[in-house]
C-alpha cells in the first residue's frame, strides 16, 4: 500500500481531463432546496405600486436526511482504476451523487466510478452486521443496469461462484405544502433505498429480493442449496445477516 502523500501526483497523472470532479465544491452533492416565489418573497400589489408590500412564506423547514452513507469520515483503503492502491485515507461515500469523497489536508476530492475500482470503509459493527467491521464497495462499469453501472455497490458476499451486492441509493422527496391540495409536507427529505443483485457463475448480474424465495426465483440450483443449509442451521434467511451467512456456507463448498 502506498501512502497518502503520493495521491496528488497520482490523481493528476491518472485522471487527466476529469479534474473538474476534484474541485472543492462538487457539482452534485446534497441537493440544495429549491427556492421559489413563496420562499424568496411574494410581492402583492393592492391598488397601486404605492400600496405594495412584501410577505414571506416561512413554513419551509429545510432538508432532512444526509446524502452520505454514514455520518463523519472513515479510514478507507482504495484501489484506483489503474490498479494503484492507497490505504488509511479519510473518506466518506456520497450516495446521492454516487461519488467517493476523500480528505486531503483541508480539501475534499470527489471521485466517481470511472476513477475508483474499489474501496473499503473501516466501520464499526452494527446491529444488522454485528461481526463485520469492513465494508467493501466496487464499481461495476460493465453492468447493464444503469443505476449499478454509475455507482458503487457493497459486496455483502463474494465467493467462488456467487456474489451478493447491495446498491445503496438516496431518494429525494420534495416538500409539498403549497396549494389547496398540498400534503403540508414542509421539508425536502433524503430517504434510504437499497437494491440487491446476485452475480451468478456465468458472470451475469440480476436484481433480486434479499430473501431465500427471491434468490431461488433467479437461481433454482442455488435456492435448493440455501434451503437445505437453512434447514440444517435452523436459519430463516429473512435478515441480511442470515442470508449472507447462508450464502457463505453453500458457496464455500
Amino acid at each position: 500500500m502506498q501512502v497518502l502523500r503520493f495521491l496528488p501526483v497520482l490523481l493528476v497523472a491518472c485522471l487527466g481531463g476529469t479534474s473538474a470532479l476534484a474541485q472543492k465544491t462538487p457539482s452534485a452533492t446534497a441537493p440544495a432546496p429549491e427556492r421559489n416565489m413563496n420562499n424568496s418573497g411574494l410581492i402583492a400589489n393592492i391598488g397601486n405600486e404605492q400600496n405594495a408590500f412584501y410577505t414571506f412564506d416561512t413554513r419551509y423547514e429545510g432538508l432532512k436526511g444526509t446524502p452520505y452513507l454514514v455520518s463523519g469520515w472513515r479510514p478507507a483503503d482504495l484501489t484506483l482504476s489503474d490498479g494503484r492502491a492507497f490505504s488509511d485515507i479519510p473518506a466518506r461515500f456520497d450516495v446521492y451523487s454516487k461519488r467517493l469523497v476523500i480528505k486531503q489536508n483541508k480539501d475534499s476530492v470527489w471521485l466517481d466510478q470511472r476513477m475508483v475500482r474499489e474501496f473499503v470503509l473501516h466501520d464499526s459493527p452494527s446491529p444488522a452486521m454485528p461481526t463485520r467491521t469492513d465494508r467493501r464497495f466496487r464499481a461495476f462499469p460493465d453492468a447493464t443496469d444503469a443505476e449499478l453501472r454509475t455507482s458503487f455497490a457493497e459486496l455483502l458476499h463474494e465467493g467462488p461462484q456467487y456474489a451478493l451486492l447491495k446498491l445503496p441509493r438516496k431518494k429525494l422527496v420534495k416538500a409539498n405544502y403549497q396549494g389547496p391540495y398540498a400534503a403540508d409536507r414542509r421539508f425536502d427529505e433524503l430517504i434510504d433505498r437499497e437494491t440487491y443483485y446476485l452475480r451468478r457463475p456465468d458472470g451475469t448480474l440480476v436484481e433480486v429480493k434479499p430473501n431465500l424465495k427471491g434468490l431461488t426465483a433467479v437461481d433454482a440450483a442455488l435456492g435448493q442449496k440455501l434451503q437445505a443449509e437453512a434447514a440444517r442451521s435452523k436459519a430463516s434467511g429473512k435478515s441480511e445477516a442470515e442470508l449472507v451467512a447462508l450464502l457463505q456456507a453453500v458457496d464455500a463448498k
Side-chain angles (χ1 to χ4, degrees), residues 15 23 36 56 82 121 126 129 132 134 140 156 162 167 172 211 226 231 233 236 238 243:
L15 304 185
Q23 299 174 355
N36 52 41
F56 295 87
D82 63 2
L121 293 177
S126 66
M129 286 290 187
R132 182 164 57 89
D134 293 339
F140 291 87
L156 299 177
Y162 295 93
L167 179 67
L172 176 62
N211 52 49
L226 290 173
S233 61
S236 66
K238 293 182 178 180
L243 194 62

Side-chain angles (χ1 to χ4, degrees), residues 119-139:
F119 63 90
V120 179
L121 293 177
H122 302 290
D123 207 352
S124 301
S126 66
M129 286 290 187
T131 61
R132 182 164 57 89
T133 57
D134 293 339
R135 303 181 68 177
R136 184 179 300 274
F137 295 81
R138 184 176 297 169

Side-chain angles (χ1 to χ4, degrees), residues 1 7 10-11 14-15 77-86 93 98-100 102 110-121 135-142 148-155 158 165 199:
M1 289 289 182
L7 187 56
L10 173 60
L11 289 176
C14 73
L15 304 185
D77 303 331
L78 64 110
T79 303
L80 298 181
S81 56
D82 63 2
R84 283 177 280 186
F86 298 86
F93 181 19
K98 305 177 182 179
R99 286 184 276 186
L100 178 68
I102 63 172
W110 272 255
L111 305 172
D112 66 14
Q113 84 290 343
R114 297 169 298 175
M115 307 171 186
V116 179
R117 179 187 302 172
E118 181 176 292
F119 63 90
V120 179
L121 293 177
R135 303 181 68 177
R136 184 179 300 274
F137 295 81
R138 184 176 297 169
F140 291 87
D142 298 326
L148 182 59
R149 186 173 61 250
T150 57
S151 188
F152 298 98
E154 183 174 4
L155 283 163
E158 185 175 30
L165 319 177
R199 189 189 68 197

Side-chain angles (χ1 to χ4, degrees), residues 165-177:
L165 319 177
K166 179 170 72 171
L167 179 67
R169 296 182 292 112
K170 295 280 185 175
K171 180 182 178 181
L172 176 62
V173 179
K174 300 292 291 180
N176 180 13
Y177 59 92

